[in-house]
């Protein structure tokens, strides 16, 4: 929500909002923050994947990917995200 500036799953009722969380992928952060690095979108999509096997293995791994956005060249980050 902090990056999007709003709850992207908000609906008319809490039940509808929950259904959206469970069934829809979040929109690309680049839709609302075109200035964001594309690699951030890749990291967020991986972290928020509906399929647990596609997510980061740990919060530490996710944090490492985010740190890499700040400290490593793009090529190294892309390799780390795969």
């Amino acid at each position: 929500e902090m990056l999007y500036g709003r709850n992207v799953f908000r609906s008319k009722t809490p039940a509808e909002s929950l259904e959206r969380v469970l069934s829809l992928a979040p929109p690309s952060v680049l839709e609302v923050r075109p200035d964001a690095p594309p690699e951030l979108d890749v990291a967020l999509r991986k972290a928020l994947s509906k399929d647990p096997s596609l997510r980061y293995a740990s919060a530490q791994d996710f944090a490492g990917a985010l740190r890499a956005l700040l400290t490593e060249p793009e090529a190294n980050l892309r390799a780390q995200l795969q």
Side-chain angles (χ1 to χ4, degrees):
E1 287 182 32
M2 291 173 65
L3 288 171
Y4 290 94
R6 61 185 170 85
N7 180 334
V8 297
F9 297 113
R10 176 168 254 150
S11 196
K12 294 178 184 176
T13 67
E16 288 176 357
S17 295
L18 180 57
E19 175 61 30
R20 292 178 69 151
V21 167
L22 296 173
S23 63
L24 300 175
S28 169
V29 72
L30 299 174
E31 291 177 24
V32 294
R33 297 290 308 264
D35 58 324
E39 293 80 13
L40 176 60
D41 190 55
V42 172
L44 290 173
R45 287 184 177 280
K46 182 172 181 170
L48 298 172
S49 175
K50 300 299 180 198
D51 182 346
S53 70
L54 299 177
R55 294 182 204 146
Y56 292 98
S58 67
Q60 184 176 359
D61 290 348
F62 181 40
L66 294 177
R67 269 193 299 279
L69 276 169
L70 299 173
T71 60
E72 296 179 16
E74 291 179 17
N76 290 340
L77 177 62
R78 284 192 187 101
Q80 187 177 23
L81 292 175
Q82 294 179 4

